Amino acid sequence: ADPKQPGDLEGLFLRSEDGGKTWQNRTASLPAVSQGLGFDTLDINPTNDQHLVTANCEGVQKSLDGGQSWSAIPGSKQALGDCNSSDLFRGINDRKTIYTLSSVGEGGGSVMMRSIDDGATWQVAAMNVDADYMIGLRGLVVHPDDARHVYLTDMNGFYSSANGGDQFHQHTRNLGADPSNVAVNPSNGALYISAGDTIYRWTPGAEPQNGHWSAVAQIPNARLGEPKIADGNLYVTTDTQ
């Protein structure tokens, strides 16, 4: 089939060089796929904003010219057949470590890929979990100091891995129901999460499977969004119930 035209695509890549007054459509060179074309995560190299990477069901895509042209990174496509969407995540200090998390099938399943050499080679993460299963994953967070440590939340709780996603431990002690994505403070590694009207902070234990959540703030009768951390400050949005 002929590649889709920009007006027909399920997702667009747009760039503005004037603070959002005008936008350039740089989608045309992205590979066309039948599903999961939209991009929820875009990584911009902090030392060269022309170097971009993102992901969809065709794998990890990279651009070295600010999005004017894109090419697929070989070996990064593993969520085959029933892939719904794929997102990309990478370390802050360890820029060579990259993860992708793909939604597959109709039952909330996921496929996780990782590269520790800036995308040159890829492995499928085992995603073994000490709970029954993980379903409806909402995103992945990479620890700023050690990219082997990653965090996930789903409909049932919060999970951590210390080995790049091969083994996950569930942490629900003292945590409210239906938690948000986790936020990591890059200055000290502290973890925050919201559930219902409360923000929780993670207190780690001596072993990866130990530790607990402590409530640190509450906004009664509100539904809190995902916490965000910038310049050492904690931010959260609210919605009324």
Side-chain angles (χ1 to χ4, degrees):
D2 292 333
K4 293 183 180 181
Q5 297 301 311
D8 300 326
L9 296 176
E10 299 172 18
L12 299 174
F13 174 70
L14 306 175
R15 176 186 172 107
S16 176
E17 297 179 351
D18 54 14
K21 295 180 181 179
T22 60
W23 293 88
Q24 305 163 7
N25 185 347
R26 295 190 173 181
T27 317
S29 60
L30 285 167
V33 293
S34 59
Q35 298 182 39
L37 188 59
F39 303 99
D40 288 335
T41 49
L42 175 70
D43 179 82
I44 304 173
N45 190 315
T47 61
N48 187 340
D49 65 1
Q50 296 297 296
H51 290 190
L52 314 173
V53 290
T54 188
N56 65 8
C57 285
E58 291 297 313
V60 176
Q61 316 295 328
K62 68 177 179 180
S63 174
L64 301 179
D65 53 17
Q68 296 186 70
S69 62
W70 294 84
S71 60
I73 296 179
S76 62
K77 179 180 178 180
Q78 287 292 330
L80 305 176
D82 56 355
C83 174
N84 300 311
S85 63
S86 292
D87 292 317
L88 179 140
F89 311 88
R90 74 187 306 169
I92 296 175
N93 298 324
D94 177 4
R95 297 284 299 167
K96 292 185 177 296
T97 298
I98 307 173
Y99 296 93
T100 61
L101 187 65
S102 300
S103 169
V104 295
E106 298 180 357
S110 299
V111 173
M112 183 176 171
M113 299 277 295
R114 67 171 178 264
S115 173
I116 61 173
D117 51 16
D118 202 24
T121 60
W122 292 84
Q123 303 85 37
V124 178
M127 296 189 74
N128 295 316
V129 63
D130 57 10
D132 291 336
Y133 52 85
M134 294 187 286
I135 185 169
L137 297 180
R138 296 172 179 167
L140 184 148
V141 172
V142 183
H143 195 283
D145 295 328
D146 188 343
R148 295 171 301 176
H149 290 252
V150 293
Y151 310 104
L152 290 167
T153 53
D154 73 350
M155 298 171 60
N156 300 315
F158 166 85
Y159 307 83
S160 71
S161 173
N163 57 8
D166 285 332
Q167 178 68 45
F168 280 94
H169 300 285
Q170 186 182 41
H171 308 281
T172 57
R173 183 181 170 193
N174 299 338
L175 180 63
D178 197 23
S180 70
N181 285 353
V182 67
V184 180
N185 188 333
S187 64
N188 58 18
L191 307 182
Y192 295 88
I193 207 168
S194 65
D197 62 359
T198 305
I199 296 178
Y200 300 84
R201 187 182 190 278
W202 174 251
T203 301
E207 300 296 331
Q209 65 269 27
N210 296 325
H212 65 276
W213 292 95
S214 300
V216 296
Q218 184 180 40
I219 303 177
N221 302 318
R223 183 171 57 244
L224 303 184
E226 175 186 346
K228 297 291 185 180
I229 298 172
D231 298 325
N233 298 312
L234 180 65
Y235 299 85
V236 70
T237 56
T238 71
D239 188 10
T240 56
Q241 293 183 343

